[in-house]
Amino acid sequence: MLNKKQSVKAMCLCAICIALCVVLPMVFHGVGLGPIFLPMHIPVLLCGLICGWFYGALCGILGPILSSLLTGMPPAPVLMSMVPELCLYGLVGGLLVRTVQFKSVYANLYTALVGAMLAGRIVGGIAKALVLFSGGKPIVFSALVSGYFVTSWPGILIQLALIPSLVFMLMKARLIPEQFEGAAR
């Protein structure tokens, strides 16, 4: 349970992550690299890991919705599969980082990160299939797998390299909730 100071800090960090969900996609989509580098996924995964499951899920819901309302990205059909995917990223990442405890912080972070990424991708793929099915379009499993894993592999690698590094930088700067402080030393 977070104390009042930790709760305010988590809310502020969540708000920053939600803002990044709007700003980062504008930069990457502006040069045509959004679907490859997955810029909205980074702040949601980061929020779940450092703020917990509630704020991570909230960021995963509000981030893409606000981005869609303010910038038109993602468009409505994509938004319908992206919200459940990103919500699971934040939710599962936040749950796993606090429940799966190894002796290594790296192992904890990577277990939570990979678990969240897999859960989110699976739910996102199911949601996308339902959107396509309800629109009367044929569902091609290989196209779903290709879109969720093959096309976006650079973004997946960036997430695996960047997010733990960001968590450690925030730990050293003492900007994240106290449950991570002992790991930074």
Side-chain angles (χ1 to χ4, degrees), residues 123-134:
V123 168
I126 292 168
K128 190 170 201 167
L130 291 172
V131 168
L132 291 172
F133 181 73
S134 67

Side-chain angles (χ1 to χ4, degrees), residues 17-30 34 38-44 67 73 162:
C17 288
I18 290 170
L20 287 171
C21 284
V22 176
V23 175
L24 286 178
M26 289 190 317
V27 173
F28 281 86
H29 283 283
L38 312 169
M40 195 178 296
H41 298 65
I42 293 168
V44 173
S67 181
M73 298 180 299
L162 182 65

Side-chain angles (χ1 to χ4, degrees), residues 10-176:
M11 280 189 268
C12 292
L13 289 169
C14 180
I16 291 167
C17 288
I18 290 170
L20 287 171
C21 284
V22 176
V23 175
L24 286 178
M26 289 190 317
V27 173
F28 281 86
H29 283 283
V31 292
L33 297 174
I36 296 170
F37 289 108
L38 312 169
M40 195 178 296
H41 298 65
I42 293 168
V44 173
L45 286 162
L46 190 61
C47 186
L49 293 174
I50 64 175
C51 298
W53 68 269
F54 175 78
Y55 291 111
L58 185 66
C59 181
I61 293 168
L62 293 180
I65 291 172
L66 285 175
S67 181
S68 183
L69 291 172
L70 295 172
T71 68
M73 298 180 299
V78 176
L79 180 67
M80 295 168 80
S81 63
M82 207 167 177
V83 168
E85 175 186 1
L86 294 183
C87 178
L88 259 284
Y89 275 4
L91 176 78
V92 172
L95 287 173
L96 287 178
V97 81
R98 283 167 181 75
T99 57
V100 176
Q101 295 296 312
F102 297 104
K103 290 183 180 182
S104 165
V105 177
Y106 288 105
N108 293 343
L109 283 172
Y110 277 107
T111 299
L113 186 58
V114 170
M117 292 167 73
L118 288 173
R121 292 255 172 223
I122 290 167
V123 168
I126 292 168
K128 190 170 201 167
L130 291 172
V131 168
L132 291 172
F133 181 73
S134 67
K137 296 182 179 178
I139 301 167
V140 180
F141 182 73
S142 62
L144 284 174
V145 170
S146 174
Y148 270 94
F149 292 100
V150 177
T151 304
S152 59
W153 71 265
I156 292 169
L157 292 178
I158 287 170
Q159 291 165 12
L160 291 171
L162 182 65
I163 292 171
S165 299
L166 289 172
V167 170
F168 277 99
M169 286 181 356
L170 290 169
M171 281 193 269
K172 288 191 179 226
R174 300 215 180 271
L175 294 173
I176 60 172

